[in-house]
Amino acid sequence: MKYKAFHKMSYGMYLVATELDGKKSGYIANTAFQVTNSPEQVAISCHKKNKTTAVIREAGAFSVSILKQDLDVKLIGNFGFMSGRDLDKFQDVKTQTAQTGMPIVLDECVAWLDCEVRQAIDVGSHWLIIGEVVDSEVVLDEEPLTYQVYRDKYKMFSPKNSPTYIEQDALQKEEAEAKAKASDEETPKEEDPAAEASAHVCVICGYHYNPEEGDPTRGIPPGTPFEDLPDDYKCPICNASKEYFKEV
Ligand code: FE
């Protein structure tokens, strides 16, 4: 089996939100898709261990915000990689209340769907939750974010509880094998050893620390090597500490 084959599948990127007893909950999803047109129903695949999953099932409703391509990745960091137990994900985002009573996150959103749960199918690690769309709206006339752009432009991974998560070690091993095979067939290229040695990636979310750019969000000036970052430096996307960065 080739893991890379799964990366050839196309998906969008969404923010799923719900609410129960005044407490909002939400997460980033790439698996949201329309399953019928009469009535209009969509499915989402939710990990059984995620807090939001239990809330959706109990609340009986959820909203889907369709994210825009050119977005502030902090939203993905907060909703995709942080736990609601550590952070109030909704404190800095603009929301509106849907017909179902669910919160709709409007930040970085091109359109939204408001859904009532019709069934939940047990698919092992996840619940496949099917909701009927009772309302929808277009917010912005902009391109939606695709999963491929998310991976290629923002260099971010799927969190471990995502239905499309692939072990990074398994993927890197497969890529290394493919590169080794390709280099057997090519003439060797000169490489820049300094550039090769200085790249660090967050193993939680995939954020690349580039020493040439530094990290303006954390006040790190351009030209700062990874080794010179303060000990309390944290990933700007998922808040992971320095020991979660791996040299690549
Ligand atoms: Fe990170």
Side-chain angles (χ1 to χ4, degrees), residues 202 205 235 238:
C202 170
C205 71
C235 172
C238 72

Side-chain angles (χ1 to χ4, degrees), residues 3-14 29-34 144-152 158 164:
Y3 294 110
K4 269 283 179 192
F6 292 91
H7 278 183
K8 298 294 183 197
M9 294 184 79
S10 294
Y11 301 92
M13 290 293 287
Y14 310 97
N30 65 297
T31 46
F33 48 96
Q34 187 171 355
L145 177 61
T146 64
Y147 191 43
Q148 182 158 1
V149 170
Y150 168 77
R151 276 197 317 265
D152 295 348
S158 289
T164 55

Side-chain angles (χ1 to χ4, degrees), residues 3-244:
Y3 294 110
K4 269 283 179 192
F6 292 91
H7 278 183
K8 298 294 183 197
M9 294 184 79
S10 294
Y11 301 92
M13 290 293 287
Y14 310 97
L15 196 160
V16 175
T18 187
E19 184 171 334
L20 188 68
D21 300 331
K23 284 195 182 137
K24 296 179 176 68
S25 191
Y27 73 100
I28 299 291
N30 65 297
T31 46
F33 48 96
Q34 187 171 355
V35 287
T36 59
N37 62 40
S38 183
E40 289 82 3
Q41 293 184 110
V42 293
I44 51 173
S45 186
C46 310
H47 200 282
K48 287 179 178 175
K49 286 184 181 163
N50 281 0
K51 188 177 150 227
T52 307
T53 306
V55 181
I56 291 173
R57 297 198 67 214
E58 204 171 336
F62 60 92
S63 71
V64 178
S65 299
I66 302 165
L67 300 177
K68 65 176 183 176
Q69 187 167 305
D70 186 17
L71 89 173
D72 179 352
V73 290
K74 194 78 193 159
L75 186 81
I76 293 183
N78 286 350
F79 279 87
F81 294 95
M82 307 283 277
S83 167
R85 296 172 191 98
D86 306 323
L87 166 93
D88 177 5
K89 299 179 181 185
F90 288 85
Q91 66 180 352
D92 294 325
V93 293
K94 190 177 167 200
T95 59
Q96 81 176 52
T97 305
Q99 194 176 304
T100 55
M102 296 300 106
I104 299 165
V105 174
L106 298 173
D107 290 27
E108 317 297 336
C109 157
V110 292
W112 54 258
L113 310 173
D114 179 24
C115 308
E116 276 177 6
V117 175
R118 292 288 177 253
Q119 12 175 348
I121 301 162
D122 187 341
V123 287
S125 56
H126 291 66
W127 284 105
L128 189 66
I129 297 176
I130 295 170
E132 182 174 340
V133 180
V134 295
D135 196 10
S136 62
E137 187 57 273
V138 175
V139 178
L140 271 179
D141 186 20
E142 281 191 32
E143 287 293 309
L145 177 61
T146 64
Y147 191 43
Q148 182 158 1
V149 170
Y150 168 77
R151 276 197 317 265
D152 295 348
K153 179 177 173 188
Y154 298 115
K155 308 278 185 209
M156 291 167 80
F157 301 153
S158 289
K160 207 158 192 165
N161 287 350
S162 161
T164 55
Y165 172 76
I166 298 173
E167 280 282 350
Q168 286 306 306
D169 286 350
L171 194 60
Q172 280 169 8
K173 188 171 166 239
E174 192 174 288
E175 282 173 351
E177 284 168 2
K179 268 186 193 164
K181 197 178 166 206
S183 70
D184 281 349
E185 292 156 12
E186 268 176 21
T187 50
K189 278 186 282 188
E190 281 207 18
E191 285 179 359
D192 177 357
E196 283 289 312
S198 61
H200 283 76
V201 65
C202 170
V203 297
I204 308 289
C205 71
Y207 167 75
H208 277 59
Y209 176 75
N210 181 348
E212 280 175 29
E213 292 171 9
D215 179 0
T217 66
R218 300 279 192 203
I220 307 294
T224 307
F226 181 81
E227 293 70 22
D228 291 353
L229 291 173
D231 289 342
D232 59 355
Y233 176 76
K234 296 232 167 45
C235 172
I237 304 297
C238 72
N239 235 26
S241 50
K242 256 181 103 173
E243 62 261 33
Y244 288 97

